[in-house]
Amino acid sequence: MSELDHVRHSLAHFAQMNEDDFSLSSSYWVVQDFKKGQMYNPEGSICQYLGFIMHGYFRSYLMSEDGSEKNIFLFLPNQVVTSYKSFVHKTPCEYNTQALTDSRTVCITLEHLKLLYQKSHGWERFGRLLAERAFDVANDRAESFLFKTAEERYRDLIRMQPDVIENIPLYHISSYLGIAGPSLSRIRRRIATKRF
């Protein structure tokens, strides 16, 4: 399956986009490869692309005053990677987004998306659903820190995104979950013990 076919299939599933609507976008997509550690969007810059991840993993992170990094979002294969607020409002991003592994994305600009919104109700629906998904992700993340224990956050992650554990180093996962490394190790041992 080509990269464009992959995006077509994803959008049909996500937004019930039909073939005619998707064909309007065919000339707008750009394939971009990222090496492990390469920035997708550095802090202070305006995010230029909405990217569909073909393969690989990304993270968004903040630099703390003490120089440590705090992961705020993880992006997985078959998901969208972008700094959404920066992308939509054309404002400088307040955090870095970086490839955690060698990765490939298929990207589109906001200018091209706006043209598509004008041409097609299918693309308008995609834009609305994308905004709803971005809100849900941010809201779920905030609520998980307010209402769930560290172990519950870890269990949710392995239930909903099990491939993360095999493909992203544990220190990035502990940062994302807001759990100190030793505490995460204890949680993992406790869960493993309960399985036997």
Side-chain angles (χ1 to χ4, degrees):
M1 183 184 293
S2 73
E3 281 86 1
L4 211 54
D5 287 336
H6 190 93
V7 175
R8 180 185 291 108
H9 181 266
S10 296
L11 293 189
H13 178 74
F14 175 68
Q16 298 79 49
M17 187 171 294
N18 64 40
E19 195 71 32
D20 289 341
D21 284 341
F22 184 80
S23 67
L24 296 171
S25 73
S26 296
S27 63
Y28 295 157
W29 298 99
V30 177
V31 175
Q32 292 189 332
D33 291 315
F34 294 86
K35 294 292 185 186
K36 178 180 178 180
Q38 185 178 346
M39 286 294 173
Y40 179 87
N41 192 72
E43 178 184 359
S45 67
I46 295 172
C47 186
Q48 300 297 322
Y49 293 102
L50 176 79
F52 286 88
I53 303 172
M54 298 293 104
H55 63 81
Y57 296 79
F58 293 81
R59 68 171 177 145
S60 290
Y61 68 94
L62 295 167
M63 293 297 296
S64 300
E65 289 181 8
D66 64 4
S68 64
E69 300 173 354
K70 293 188 178 178
N71 292 331
I72 52 176
F73 296 111
L74 297 177
F75 303 95
L76 285 61
N78 301 311
Q79 292 184 349
V80 166
V81 58
T82 193
S83 301
Y84 189 78
K85 180 181 174 183
S86 174
F87 177 72
V88 170
H89 296 294
K90 292 298 178 193
T91 56
C93 191
E94 298 172 342
Y95 50 82
N96 294 295
T97 300
Q98 177 189 46
L100 284 170
T101 62
D102 289 349
S103 306
R104 171 168 284 190
T105 63
V106 181
C107 299
I108 192 167
T109 65
L110 180 64
E111 290 70 28
H112 284 147
L113 279 177
K114 285 181 175 179
L115 288 174
L116 293 167
Y117 295 162
Q118 293 170 5
K119 293 178 181 178
S120 154
H121 290 303
W123 280 101
E124 282 183 322
R125 181 171 56 251
F126 166 76
R128 176 178 55 79
L129 291 172
L130 184 68
E132 290 173 2
R133 178 69 58 89
F135 173 81
D136 286 345
V137 167
N139 190 63
D140 289 349
R141 182 132 172 81
E143 288 183 352
S144 74
F145 280 93
L146 288 171
F147 304 124
K148 294 184 177 180
T149 66
E151 183 168 331
E152 287 171 331
R153 291 197 298 276
Y154 179 73
R155 284 182 179 276
D156 284 348
L157 181 67
I158 59 175
R159 179 176 48 82
M160 297 169 65
Q161 300 171 326
D163 60 318
V164 165
I165 304 303
E166 287 120 35
N167 292 285
I168 295 179
L170 283 178
Y171 67 90
H172 281 308
I173 293 169
S174 66
S175 172
Y176 173 69
L177 294 174
I179 306 171
S183 297
L184 180 58
S185 294
R186 284 193 296 274
I187 289 169
R188 285 166 55 82
R189 280 196 303 272
R190 188 162 57 243
I191 291 172
T193 303
K194 288 178 181 177
R195 288 181 178 164
F196 296 103

